[in-house]
Amino acid sequence: MSLLTSDASGVFVISVTPFLPDGTIDFESLDRVTDFYLERGATGLTILGMMGEAQKLTQAEARTIAERVIARAGDVPVVVGVSAPGLAAIKDLSAAVMDLGAAGVMIAPPGNLRTDSQIEAYYGHACTAAGKGTPVVLQDFPLSTGVQIDAAVLLRIFAAQTDVVMLKHEDWPGLAKVSALREAEGQGARRVSILCGNGGVFLPEEMARGADGAMTGFAFPEMLADVVSCAGQGQMDRAQDVFDAYLPLMRYEQQPGLGLAVRKYVLASRGAIASPALRAPGAGLDRAAAHEVDRLLARKDKRLKELV
Amino acid sequence: MSLLTSDASGVFVISVTPFLPDGTIDFESLDRVTDFYLERGATGLTILGMMGEAQKLTQAEARTIAERVIARAGDVPVVVGVSAPGLAAIKDLSAAVMDLGAAGVMIAPPGNLRTDSQIEAYYGHACTAAGKGTPVVLQDFPLSTGVQIDAAVLLRIFAAQTDVVMLKHEDWPGLAKVSALREAEGQGARRVSILCGNGGVFLPEEMARGADGAMTGFAFPEMLADVVSCAGQGQMDRAQDVFDAYLPLMRYEQQPGLGLAVRKYVLASRGAIASPALRAPGAGLDRAAAHEVDRLLARKDKRLKELV
Amino acid sequence: MSLLTSDASGVFVISVTPFLPDGTIDFESLDRVTDFYLERGATGLTILGMMGEAQKLTQAEARTIAERVIARAGDVPVVVGVSAPGLAAIKDLSAAVMDLGAAGVMIAPPGNLRTDSQIEAYYGHACTAAGKGTPVVLQDFPLSTGVQIDAAVLLRIFAAQTDVVMLKHEDWPGLAKVSALREAEGQGARRVSILCGNGGVFLPEEMARGADGAMTGFAFPEMLADVVSCAGQGQMDRAQDVFDAYLPLMRYEQQPGLGLAVRKYVLASRGAIASPALRAPGAGLDRAAAHEVDRLLARKDKRLKELV
Amino acid sequence: MSLLTSDASGVFVISVTPFLPDGTIDFESLDRVTDFYLERGATGLTILGMMGEAQKLTQAEARTIAERVIARAGDVPVVVGVSAPGLAAIKDLSAAVMDLGAAGVMIAPPGNLRTDSQIEAYYGHACTAAGKGTPVVLQDFPLSTGVQIDAAVLLRIFAAQTDVVMLKHEDWPGLAKVSALREAEGQGARRVSILCGNGGVFLPEEMARGADGAMTGFAFPEMLADVVSCAGQGQMDRAQDVFDAYLPLMRYEQQPGLGLAVRKYVLASRGAIASPALRAPGAGLDRAAAHEVDRLLARKDKRLKELV
């Protein structure tokens, strides 16, 4: 399979890991949800991230899942999350998944980093651990990691670590950062692909400021693809119309900690996975929340009909 | 002026503090924005909170502002933020503003609290500092304070500190907490008013789960009032229609750190304050962000017209 | 090998992992340092903790080290650190090391836990992951984990999770916690062994308050054993005399982040390991620090001679 | 009174604020402890810091204390802590105390700073708030503030903010930082006085690496003065002998949160203040801790006699 490059664009869907209610991996659903993502416009997949319940998997399970998704995805690039407290785990998992045909690996900074120079030094070590030539996605997600990375620091990392080909942008607020990075490129900095996370809630603005697409797991990847495509064609109002129709649901899905249960509930209701179950200690939606999601889904459908 | 009670409901607007571009307080705009809030449905005001740039004020300025707003607001209750690292400051400011006619004070937990018992003990000390009989609003805002308070801990505080008459609810995710508190009341716990913050982004769901209203500074208080009113009459679809029209803008205003600049920009463009200036070290919107806000405002107007 | 029980006492040395300067594991030194610890009074060993550079090891390396140390230690109980962000890793590693003959596993709370109930719930899940009947050491180390655990919460965990047989006590300040736990036992709470960490810097006071010994990696385990032994015989002044002679060095070794380099430097200078090397990204002592340690070692020797 | 300069050296004692058991300020003891410090070798005083219970004081009380201590201290320079969440409070208090004759102000970074550029920018704003020409002490205390400042960032701040004349050094580990700053001076960086905090537990090493003295509140300032003096004369062994005699007590006093109670207990037992009381919500030593301190005091006396 081909490797990730700094030209990557479109929608890389953060894939869920389907489980049966008893906690075992549901491989049939894993195939189904992979197909589901690809049929709805995914240009790439990202697996074994926080929203893929990677921490709840044994190493053996993680590799089996990576192997299965990579094979199923065919020519579509698959990025694998390998963030870990230690470099040894990053090295091991990176080597394994690149052997299996992954397009690259994604690495978030460990939460104990504080100063600019610590962050820069970390990505030097992390890229070495990932292996020379392994494309790396830098996940910039301060709300979750507690690590704030200046645009200037990102640019220094991009300059020093040429294996970093993509930024998963989910700083919040982060729009000015997208602009700052694109401006720096205009002045000669190496181009890096910018795909946006944060549940997608700023996707129209991010695209207008020069992002290349989305990397998030919102349960309607077709919307992400539509927004990215419209933005690519300069149809910003159409992009925003579609986006706005989904926003009340998207906002609900973005709740920290609860979001994955919402996402799996929606995916199950769409038939993409058999069960909305999270592996313990995660819990599914309670009745009140499920009712709220159902209502938002119905309203979204109604609004979309008005748009046509 | 009458004191805040646990029956309080409606919309308590978190008021901005207007400044002139040179950083001096713009008292004329302070009067104007106070009127603006009241004319657009505010049933109360909250001043000297984080979004009121309270930390940038001298103590003398803070008291002058409190005096002016309380006088201008007339019969409308004014809650004053008195959160501080130490109890002495809480005691001083509480005494001063209650003398001036405040309806109550709002206190967020200091960021060094960790265990349940530390949090419980803190509110004992804080209520003593605020003064026996001073109505207290407990601000539960973990994203900003770093302090997570269990529903069970809130209930113990409510039971022990009868001066706590209101919860400013802005946990995220927090919908289940609203339900848990209301259920506990059904089983005999003392009722406390629940007004919701977090920029208002979950207001329809919060109202449906039993909240009494909103306490947030979104630049269109008439929307908050409309949502609360519709919800009170059981018109949940209408409430959500109005809410959805504003949501793209609301989402933009909710960006941490940047939100106040957005809010002041919108208030200035609505004529409620003369200048969008923040006092240093805060910065206003740059051109790209202002352009994005203008676009969202125009789209909001268009959408509202479709709704009528 | 026999399992750890709540009667455990003495000195469990936190073992280093020796590396050659090129970063490969130095198994010959691993055997030597194991013998070194046992010959100097260790009643147990703890491996694969933070000070064992566990995060820098591959899973395969970790198991090889566990197997080698457990075999070498013979009848002496070996506790294995299995803390991890996810339960799956805890389950995997616990099962593996218990099969190899470990006496128990040690688990620190992940840094995202905040409320009392989250902490309690976590240890329920963690004990399940470790496996029914696997003795668990609860590591209470807020300076490193950021998680503060009330004595009352510890007692609830001890009551609910009977597999927790030992507390690695390194809260700071923490003397009152030792007393509170022992008092609770006097009133019927289940007894749990308390071994003290924090580099040993409060060992005399901890022993006087009822601790059962030390679990730390100070490079002179014979001192820890001597203090514990003297305290056990009520010779508190002798215990403190010995302790005081080492305290200037111990204080130097307790520096966060730097301590392991000091410890390995001393162990190498004592002949217990061949090289003071840390695996990357760790760095050894620079010349100035090495000079300071040499000076403290010489002064310690001189002081000990005066004591005899 | 003369202003603080970058040539300052010796021992600046962090002064306690004495209270009567009922919580009122004990001004008679305030005079007495001021004299006590000066008679025991203090070359300066630092008031209204964390260990001066500044947060428990009203603004009026804080000014009264500053006025009284500054007057009592005569020609001895008094540094006043003015750290606050907002710049307005820094501006107000700085102006007030400089008017009263303070030698300078001390400012720690607020806990929300993360990136290098945020820290640099903050000290620009803070120095402006303190007032042009007001000598500023930068307090570098990551254990308490959560803000880690690189040596390179300190040097940039020193270069940009010429009013910063002193570093209160209490990073941990921090010895390499002292060396790095002194080396930079050797290469042309502006000299800044370095006084060391952290309870004094690394004072001998810090002096050997080029520090100018101590700024801490250990209850035996005569020891700090002795160590600084011996080090100044190159008598490093004598310095360390004295230090070691006090170290067991010093270690006990350094416990976070508990240390001030220990310090006041010792000061009261030495007759420097009338009561060991902390203002609420602080608590004094319980019986077990007081017993431990008494024992350490007796052992310290015995050891000192052996040294003569």
Side-chain angles (χ1 to χ4, degrees):
Chain A
M1 182 183 296
S2 60
L3 296 178
L4 199 66
T5 74
S6 59
D7 293 325
S9 66
V11 177
F12 279 57
V13 180
I14 304 279
S15 178
V16 297
T17 302
F19 295 101
L20 295 174
D22 67 1
T24 56
I25 299 172
D26 176 358
F27 286 105
E28 193 277 327
S29 285
L30 183 61
D31 289 343
R32 208 189 326 160
V33 78
T34 301
D35 296 345
F36 173 89
Y37 290 140
L38 300 184
E39 290 160 7
R40 277 157 192 79
T43 56
L45 295 176
T46 303
I47 60 173
L48 302 184
M50 304 176 196
M51 293 310 247
E53 301 177 74
Q55 291 182 349
K56 301 176 189 168
L57 302 172
T58 66
Q59 278 202 348
E61 288 175 330
R63 292 183 193 198
T64 304
I65 288 170
E67 187 167 16
R68 186 130 177 173
V69 173
I70 289 168
R72 188 83 179 188
D75 290 338
V76 173
V78 177
V79 173
V80 182
V82 298
S83 302
L87 296 170
I90 291 176
K91 187 175 178 182
D92 255 26
L93 190 52
S94 294
V97 299
M98 294 309 292
D99 269 357
L100 293 171
V105 299
M106 183 162 73
I107 304 177
N112 60 328
L113 300 180
R114 278 293 168 272
T115 69
D116 289 4
S117 64
Q118 287 170 352
I119 297 167
E120 273 188 77
Y122 180 75
Y123 275 97
H125 291 299
C127 287
T128 301
K132 185 74 192 155
T134 299
V136 170
V137 180
L138 189 163
Q139 185 176 16
D140 181 20
F141 191 14
L143 181 66
S144 172
T145 63
V147 179
Q148 287 182 29
I149 315 182
D150 249 12
V153 175
L154 285 175
L155 288 166
R156 289 203 294 272
I157 294 171
F158 297 163
Q161 312 299 335
T162 51
D163 284 334
V164 176
V165 297
M166 184 183 284
L167 175 69
K168 184 180 185 200
H169 170 71
E170 39 194 343
D171 200 348
W172 182 49
L175 295 173
K177 194 180 266 185
V178 175
S179 296
L181 294 176
R182 287 306 183 218
E183 269 174 47
E185 286 173 15
Q187 293 159 17
R190 181 170 67 86
R191 179 189 159 77
V192 163
S193 170
I194 302 178
L195 299 191
C196 300
N198 249 334
V201 290
F202 288 97
L203 191 53
E205 286 86 358
E206 288 161 336
M207 292 306 297
R209 284 172 181 256
D212 298 299
M215 185 186 279
T216 189
F218 182 56
F220 289 86
E222 58 267 49
M223 180 275 253
L224 303 171
D226 209 356
V227 169
V228 169
S229 165
C230 288
Q233 301 162 36
Q235 303 176 0
M236 292 311 298
D237 272 327
R238 172 71 193 172
Q240 187 90 40
D241 284 344
V242 173
F243 176 84
D244 288 358
Y246 287 90
L247 183 57
L249 174 65
M250 187 178 250
R251 158 204 66 122
Y252 198 95
E253 191 179 301
Q254 200 207 6
Q255 297 176 79
L258 192 64
L260 180 59
V262 176
R263 187 170 291 174
K264 284 195 152 181
Y265 178 85
V266 175
L267 288 172
S269 75
R270 298 190 75 191
I273 56 177
S275 160
L278 278 70
R279 187 174 263 192
L285 292 190
D286 63 18
R287 189 173 305 202
H291 175 74
E292 287 165 342
V293 174
D294 289 340
R295 178 170 166 272
L296 293 169
L297 286 169
R299 288 182 55 90
K300 183 265 299 172
D301 288 339
K302 178 161 165 290
R303 180 65 188 140
L304 279 181
K305 276 187 200 133
E306 293 170 8
L307 280 186
V308 181
Chain B
M1 181 182 296
S2 59
L3 296 177
L4 198 67
T5 73
S6 59
D7 293 325
S9 66
V11 178
F12 278 58
V13 180
I14 304 281
S15 179
V16 296
T17 301
F19 295 101
L20 295 173
D22 68 0
T24 56
I25 299 173
D26 176 358
F27 286 105
E28 193 277 326
S29 285
L30 184 61
D31 289 344
R32 207 189 327 161
V33 78
T34 301
D35 296 346
F36 173 91
Y37 291 140
L38 300 183
E39 290 160 6
R40 276 156 192 79
T43 55
L45 294 176
T46 302
I47 60 172
L48 301 185
M50 303 177 195
M51 293 310 246
E53 301 178 73
Q55 290 182 350
K56 301 176 190 169
L57 302 172
T58 66
Q59 279 203 350
E61 288 175 329
R63 290 182 196 199
T64 304
I65 287 170
E67 188 167 16
R68 187 128 176 174
V69 173
I70 289 168
R72 188 84 179 186
D75 291 340
V76 173
V78 177
V79 173
V80 182
V82 298
S83 302
L87 296 171
I90 292 176
K91 187 176 178 181
D92 255 25
L93 190 52
S94 294
V97 300
M98 294 309 293
D99 269 357
L100 293 171
V105 298
M106 182 161 73
I107 304 175
N112 60 329
L113 301 180
R114 279 293 168 272
T115 69
D116 288 5
S117 64
Q118 287 170 351
I119 297 167
E120 274 188 75
Y122 179 76
Y123 275 97
H125 291 298
C127 287
T128 301
K132 185 74 191 158
T134 298
V136 170
V137 180
L138 188 163
Q139 185 177 16
D140 181 19
F141 192 13
L143 181 66
S144 173
T145 62
V147 180
Q148 288 182 29
I149 316 182
D150 249 13
V153 175
L154 285 175
L155 288 166
R156 290 203 293 272
I157 294 172
F158 297 163
Q161 311 299 334
T162 51
D163 284 334
V164 177
V165 296
M166 185 185 283
L167 174 70
K168 183 179 185 203
H169 169 71
E170 37 194 345
D171 200 350
W172 182 49
L175 295 172
K177 195 182 265 186
V178 175
S179 295
L181 295 175
R182 288 305 183 219
E183 268 173 48
E185 286 173 15
Q187 291 158 20
R190 180 170 68 85
R191 178 190 161 77
V192 164
S193 172
I194 301 177
L195 298 191
C196 299
N198 248 331
V201 290
F202 288 97
L203 191 54
E205 286 86 358
E206 288 161 336
M207 293 306 297
R209 284 171 182 258
D212 297 298
M215 184 186 280
T216 187
F218 182 56
F220 290 86
E222 58 267 48
M223 179 275 253
L224 303 171
D226 210 356
V227 169
V228 170
S229 163
C230 287
Q233 299 162 37
Q235 302 176 1
M236 292 312 297
D237 273 325
R238 172 72 193 172
Q240 186 89 39
D241 285 344
V242 173
F243 176 84
D244 288 357
Y246 287 89
L247 183 56
L249 174 66
M250 187 179 250
R251 154 206 70 121
Y252 197 95
E253 191 179 302
Q254 200 207 6
Q255 296 176 79
L258 191 64
L260 181 59
V262 176
R263 188 170 291 173
K264 283 194 155 184
Y265 178 86
V266 176
L267 288 171
S269 74
R270 299 191 75 190
I273 56 178
S275 161
L278 277 70
R279 187 174 263 191
L285 292 190
D286 63 18
R287 190 174 305 204
H291 175 74
E292 288 165 342
V293 174
D294 288 340
R295 177 170 169 272
L296 293 170
L297 286 169
R299 288 182 55 88
K300 182 265 300 170
D301 288 340
K302 178 160 166 289
R303 180 63 188 140
L304 279 181
K305 276 186 201 134
E306 293 171 8
L307 279 186
V308 180
Chain C
M1 182 184 296
S2 61
L3 297 177
L4 198 66
T5 73
S6 58
D7 293 325
S9 66
V11 178
F12 278 57
V13 181
I14 304 279
S15 179
V16 297
T17 302
F19 295 101
L20 295 173
D22 67 2
T24 55
I25 299 172
D26 176 358
F27 285 106
E28 192 277 327
S29 285
L30 183 62
D31 289 343
R32 207 188 327 159
V33 78
T34 301
D35 296 346
F36 174 90
Y37 290 141
L38 300 183
E39 290 159 7
R40 277 156 192 80
T43 56
L45 294 176
T46 302
I47 60 172
L48 301 185
M50 305 176 194
M51 293 309 247
E53 301 178 74
Q55 291 182 348
K56 300 176 189 169
L57 302 173
T58 65
Q59 278 203 350
E61 287 175 330
R63 291 183 193 197
T64 304
I65 287 170
E67 187 166 16
R68 187 129 175 174
V69 173
I70 290 168
R72 188 85 178 187
D75 289 339
V76 173
V78 177
V79 172
V80 182
V82 298
S83 302
L87 297 170
I90 292 176
K91 187 175 177 181
D92 255 26
L93 191 52
S94 294
V97 300
M98 294 309 292
D99 269 358
L100 294 171
V105 298
M106 182 161 73
I107 303 176
N112 61 330
L113 301 181
R114 279 294 167 273
T115 69
D116 288 5
S117 64
Q118 287 169 351
I119 297 166
E120 274 188 76
Y122 179 76
Y123 275 97
H125 291 298
C127 287
T128 301
K132 184 75 191 157
T134 298
V136 170
V137 180
L138 189 162
Q139 185 177 15
D140 182 19
F141 191 14
L143 181 67
S144 173
T145 62
V147 180
Q148 288 183 27
I149 316 182
D150 248 14
V153 174
L154 285 175
L155 288 166
R156 290 203 294 271
I157 294 171
F158 297 163
Q161 311 300 334
T162 50
D163 283 334
V164 177
V165 296
M166 185 185 285
L167 175 70
K168 184 179 185 203
H169 169 72
E170 38 194 344
D171 200 350
W172 182 49
L175 295 172
K177 194 181 266 186
V178 175
S179 295
L181 295 175
R182 288 305 183 220
E183 269 173 47
E185 286 173 15
Q187 292 159 20
R190 180 170 67 87
R191 177 190 161 78
V192 164
S193 171
I194 300 178
L195 299 191
C196 299
N198 248 332
V201 290
F202 288 98
L203 190 54
E205 286 87 356
E206 289 162 335
M207 293 306 297
R209 284 172 182 257
D212 298 298
M215 184 187 280
T216 188
F218 183 56
F220 290 86
E222 58 266 48
M223 180 275 254
L224 304 171
D226 209 355
V227 170
V228 170
S229 164
C230 288
Q233 299 162 36
Q235 302 176 2
M236 292 312 298
D237 273 325
R238 171 74 194 171
Q240 187 88 40
D241 285 343
V242 173
F243 176 85
D244 288 357
Y246 287 90
L247 182 56
L249 175 66
M250 186 180 250
R251 156 206 69 120
Y252 198 95
E253 191 179 302
Q254 200 208 7
Q255 297 176 79
L258 192 63
L260 181 59
V262 176
R263 187 170 293 174
K264 282 193 154 183
Y265 177 86
V266 176
L267 288 171
S269 75
R270 299 191 75 191
I273 56 178
S275 161
L278 278 68
R279 186 175 264 191
L285 292 190
D286 63 18
R287 189 173 306 203
H291 175 75
E292 287 165 343
V293 173
D294 289 341
R295 178 170 168 271
L296 293 170
L297 286 169
R299 287 182 55 88
K300 182 265 300 171
D301 287 341
K302 177 161 167 289
R303 180 65 188 140
L304 280 181
K305 275 184 201 135
E306 294 171 9
L307 279 186
V308 180
Chain D
M1 181 183 297
S2 60
L3 296 178
L4 198 66
T5 73
S6 58
D7 293 324
S9 65
V11 177
F12 279 57
V13 180
I14 303 279
S15 178
V16 298
T17 302
F19 295 102
L20 295 174
D22 67 2
T24 56
I25 299 172
D26 176 0
F27 286 104
E28 193 277 326
S29 285
L30 184 61
D31 289 343
R32 209 190 324 162
V33 79
T34 301
D35 297 345
F36 173 89
Y37 291 140
L38 300 183
E39 291 160 6
R40 278 158 191 79
T43 56
L45 294 176
T46 302
I47 60 173
L48 301 184
M50 304 176 196
M51 293 310 246
E53 300 177 73
Q55 292 183 348
K56 301 177 189 168
L57 302 173
T58 66
Q59 278 203 348
E61 288 174 329
R63 291 182 194 199
T64 304
I65 288 170
E67 188 167 15
R68 187 131 179 172
V69 173
I70 290 168
R72 189 85 180 188
D75 290 337
V76 173
V78 176
V79 173
V80 182
V82 299
S83 302
L87 297 170
I90 291 175
K91 187 176 177 181
D92 255 25
L93 190 51
S94 293
V97 299
M98 294 309 293
D99 269 358
L100 293 171
V105 299
M106 183 163 73
I107 304 176
N112 60 328
L113 300 180
R114 279 293 169 272
T115 68
D116 288 5
S117 65
Q118 288 170 351
I119 297 166
E120 273 187 77
Y122 179 76
Y123 275 97
H125 291 298
C127 287
T128 300
K132 185 74 192 157
T134 299
V136 170
V137 180
L138 189 162
Q139 185 177 15
D140 182 20
F141 192 13
L143 181 66
S144 173
T145 63
V147 180
Q148 287 182 29
I149 315 182
D150 249 13
V153 175
L154 285 175
L155 288 166
R156 290 202 295 272
I157 294 172
F158 297 163
Q161 311 299 334
T162 51
D163 284 334
V164 177
V165 297
M166 185 184 283
L167 174 70
K168 184 180 185 201
H169 170 71
E170 38 195 343
D171 200 350
W172 182 48
L175 295 172
K177 194 181 267 186
V178 175
S179 295
L181 295 176
R182 287 305 182 219
E183 269 174 45
E185 286 174 14
Q187 293 159 18
R190 180 171 68 87
R191 178 189 160 77
V192 164
S193 170
I194 301 177
L195 299 191
C196 300
N198 248 334
V201 290
F202 288 98
L203 191 54
E205 286 86 357
E206 288 162 335
M207 293 306 297
R209 283 171 181 257
D212 298 298
M215 185 186 279
T216 188
F218 182 56
F220 290 86
E222 58 266 47
M223 179 275 253
L224 303 171
D226 210 356
V227 169
V228 169
S229 165
C230 288
Q233 300 162 37
Q235 303 176 0
M236 293 310 298
D237 272 327
R238 173 70 193 173
Q240 186 90 39
D241 284 344
V242 173
F243 177 84
D244 289 358
Y246 287 89
L247 183 57
L249 175 64
M250 187 179 250
R251 157 206 67 121
Y252 197 95
E253 192 180 300
Q254 200 207 8
Q255 298 176 79
L258 191 64
L260 181 60
V262 176
R263 187 170 292 173
K264 284 195 153 182
Y265 178 86
V266 175
L267 288 171
S269 75
R270 298 190 76 190
I273 56 178
S275 160
L278 279 69
R279 188 174 263 191
L285 292 190
D286 63 18
R287 188 173 307 203
H291 175 74
E292 287 165 342
V293 174
D294 289 341
R295 177 169 168 273
L296 293 169
L297 286 169
R299 288 182 54 89
K300 183 266 297 171
D301 288 340
K302 179 161 165 289
R303 180 64 187 139
L304 280 181
K305 277 188 199 132
E306 294 170 8
L307 280 185
V308 180

